[in-house]
Amino acid sequence: MTRAAQLLLVVSALALWVASRMTWVDVTSFDGLGQPKSTSLNGATWSTALVPLALVALAAAVAVLAVRGWVLRLVGGLVAVATVGMGYLGIGLWVVPDVAARAADLAQIPVTALIDTQRHHTGAVVTLVAAVCALAGAVLLVRSAAVAKSGAKDPGKYLAPAAKREAARRETPEDGLSERMIWDALDEGRDPTSPDNEGR
């Protein structure tokens, strides 16, 4: 489960990096002196948080190797919070009614020279895919921390059969057999009611 979470986080980081290199908005301007000029704004320019979020996802994937328990849950929680930012960046390109003013500012073009802007949604879609992968990874991290904690509460399941019998004997009155001892005896092909089991 932890390995799957790591893989999802790495995929998310890679997808964010790819999205940061893709063109998000094209700006066409004309200064009145020559031919119209076209400027492309990539994801890193349009949404400056893409690369930092990719680093967060990658750092979380690496941190999983060194942390356990509540710290692992904390890492999963932080990644889940980061996915909100990823989703906002991806959806923002659709919901913003007019990108002209911001595009002109980022391209360092006077608004008066602006002719047209064109949005490219592929980078935003890749960003949303990265958010979904990161969220799935965060859920797996929290679940793996919970599974590890529940496993730690029952250390007896990792004991050897002889150690299990001894532990069960200590928990059982002297004149009886515990349910665990009975099942252990049956698993080994012995009759749990036989007097030969006493003292073993």
Side-chain angles (χ1 to χ4, degrees):
M1 191 179 298
T2 303
R3 294 296 178 89
Q6 284 181 293
L7 179 60
L8 285 169
L9 291 174
V10 170
V11 169
S12 176
L14 181 61
L16 289 172
W17 182 83
V18 170
S20 73
R21 312 305 298 172
M22 301 177 77
T23 299
W24 284 47
V25 178
D26 279 328
V27 182
T28 304
S29 61
F30 179 63
D31 59 6
L33 299 177
Q35 295 296 322
K37 178 183 177 183
S38 180
T39 304
S40 296
L41 301 174
N42 63 17
T45 302
W46 184 258
S47 299
T48 55
L50 281 177
V51 174
L53 286 172
L55 294 176
V56 168
L58 189 60
V62 174
V64 171
L65 298 172
V67 299
R68 293 291 182 272
W70 68 269
V71 181
L72 190 59
R73 287 186 177 185
L74 179 61
V75 171
L78 291 175
V79 172
V81 171
T83 62
V84 176
M86 298 176 196
Y88 173 78
L89 295 179
I91 296 173
L93 191 65
W94 274 286
V95 299
V96 174
D98 186 15
V99 299
R102 185 162 186 262
D105 180 58
L106 292 174
Q108 298 181 345
I109 297 170
V111 177
T112 55
L114 190 64
I115 297 178
D116 187 31
T117 59
Q118 182 179 1
R119 310 182 202 201
H120 299 277
H121 296 101
T122 307
V125 171
V126 173
T127 302
L128 291 176
V129 170
V132 171
C133 290
L135 182 59
V139 171
L140 288 179
L141 288 181
V142 174
R143 286 186 60 189
S144 64
V147 169
K149 184 177 181 181
S150 64
K153 288 181 179 179
D154 186 18
K157 70 179 184 178
Y158 299 110
L159 295 176
K164 283 184 181 180
R165 285 196 300 272
E166 182 60 30
R169 193 183 306 279
R170 286 196 300 268
E171 299 170 0
T172 307
E174 295 181 0
D175 57 348
L177 292 172
S178 71
E179 184 178 350
R180 179 181 290 177
M181 292 175 66
I182 292 173
W183 281 110
D184 286 343
L186 291 174
D187 287 341
E188 296 173 3
R190 295 186 287 107
D191 182 1
T193 61
S194 173
D196 293 340
N197 288 320
E198 295 182 3
R200 290 194 177 189

